Amino acid sequence: MGDMKMLGQRGQKLIESSQEKRTHNTASDESRKSYEEMPVGSRRKYGQILSGIIATILIAAVMVSLYRNHYINHSTIAHYLFSAPILSGLRVTIELAIAAEVVGIVFGIVLALARQSHNRVWAILSWLYIWGFRGTPLLVQIIFWGNIALLFPHLAVRIPGTSITFWSVHTNSVVTPFLAAILALGLNEAAYQAEVFRGGLLAVGQGQRDAALALGMHNWQVNRYIVFPQALRIVIPPTGNQFISLLKASSLVSVIAGGDLLSQVENIYATNYKTIELLIVAAIWYITLTSVTYVGQHFLEVRASRGAPATKLGNPMTRGLA
Amino acid sequence: MKQQESTPFDLGNGSQSLLSVHKVLKRFGEKTILDEVSFEVEKGQVFCLLGPSGSGKSTLLRCIDHLEPIHGGEIRLNGERLGYRERRGKLVAMNDREASKMRMHIGMVFQHFNLFPHLTALENVALAPRQVKKLNKSDAEARAQEVLATVGLAEFFSSFPSQLSGGQQQRVAIARAVVMEPSVVLFDEPTSALDPELVGEVLLAMKRLAESGMTMIIVSHEVGFARDVGDMVALMECGRIVESGPPHEVFGKGEGFARTREFVKRII
Ligand SMILES: Nc1ncnc2c1ncn2[C@@H]1O[C@H](COP(=O)(O)OP(=O)(O)O)[C@@H](O)[C@H]1O
Ligand SMILES: [Mg+2]
């Protein structure tokens, strides 16, 4: 339509009027500045200072007591911290957590979309899945996957009702403890991630969808360009939280000899009885991993906060304390 | 989306108006929200809709853009039925693709702007030309810049909505609708969420748009604007258009506009 060309000349006036507005704004900015420059006295926070002193003393006392405790052998901790079996367990824990989180995110997105689908069958199946996996203990699920061979001793591809078999294996040779651990953690994680994503999708208002539809976008474009990018910002903090839970929950796979950090630690203290020292080794590594996650989450949040009103994300480690 | 089949739609009415709304019926549950609403808008006309809160004005605009299904009557744009297709003598709702193709020709401006907060002003305006009209990136951005300049926002291309005033945001929203070169633009109370001092700049942008020949349907309580810019004024009450006429008659000496004048007296 040629209409807009005509608008072009007249638009000039509008531009001028908006410049007037800006000059006006600067004037008010200046008056505000002089106001802010007035000295403002701050109150002393005696309560905070006092509790700070008490907390410092308590923490120091605990540290000293642990350090002096004769039942803890510090050189054992140092010896095992970077030992081969511990590092191998650490690697398995990281691999497990990442693999399970990937399964959880991908499958969780599918479940969240199915849950809000117009197709009732999808919505109900998704609800049932989430209900089942959130309703039973993770430890039960891990042991179940670790013992799946009791239920299905063989995995086979064959034509039902005939004896024609294309391919058959022992379940235990395919579903190794490592795979069983990924399945257990990943499928469980998916149920929780689905709820996280559903929350993210719901948080993007109907007004955003309406505006996008009114422009002539079809459903997939609305999701791709409008809903998902906004939902992403919302789901990052709870997803980080989920990942931290998963990192620690992965220690449960030691019950099926998953080869993770805690499995290795248990193997070692089963022979040398240095239980506390080795648990401290494990704790040091777990807290290191979660700290790294904090930092990673912080950078993801900064990247996804495009267009959000200026907020102070602050230091990733101490943010929750502000 | 179940009740749409085999409802008492009025088939065919050979009208030449740009937009014809004919006996449109809309229910939410048992409640009838639009009760056989009919009106016509000619090309280039500005149609102003007044009416108390809850009378169904927003619902009417949403039905025109097929954001809500209707339960009877028909809406035609350039002679083509909106939202529904005839199949074997029955009417069925358009699918996603058909509906989105249809909505390309109808612009919509919302009370609360509904800008995309994660996109800059320029990206807000360029998104649909790029993704819906499939222009290449530089053409889409060039068009978006052109239109943003006409609403006086040439210096705010890279601002995010959160960095703009309400009046600026609403002007971006107008640019976002206009850049698609729609046949008609629907405005749902475009100034009622604004601070009073920001209303003028938005009305001015709308006036310029009207002067450029755009067909517009405006729900607004800006009576002065309706008087100056409107070609038709209609009053809606309880899901019906109860009075309508050209503004000089409605607000002047014309007979039979008592309810509109009463309404206007109440809101000023
Ligand atoms: N999604 C909905 N579900 C049920 N009722 C609705 C919905 N949207 C609007 N209504 C009802 O329809 C009536 C008209 O609303 P609306 O079109 O928003 O009026 P207006 O814009 O004139 O103020 C109101 O009574 C409102 O409560
Ligand atoms: Mg309304």
Side-chain angles (χ1 to χ4, degrees), chain A residues 237-249:
Chain A
T239 299
N241 215 10
Q242 280 297 123
F243 186 67
I244 288 170
S245 297
L246 183 59
L247 269 172
K248 294 177 297 175

Side-chain angles (χ1 to χ4, degrees), chain A residues 46-67:
Chain A
Y46 293 110
Q48 183 160 319
I49 292 170
L50 186 65
S51 45
I53 292 169
I54 295 174
T56 310
I57 292 170
L58 283 177
I59 292 172
V62 172
M63 299 297 263
V64 168
S65 143
L66 279 177
Y67 187 76

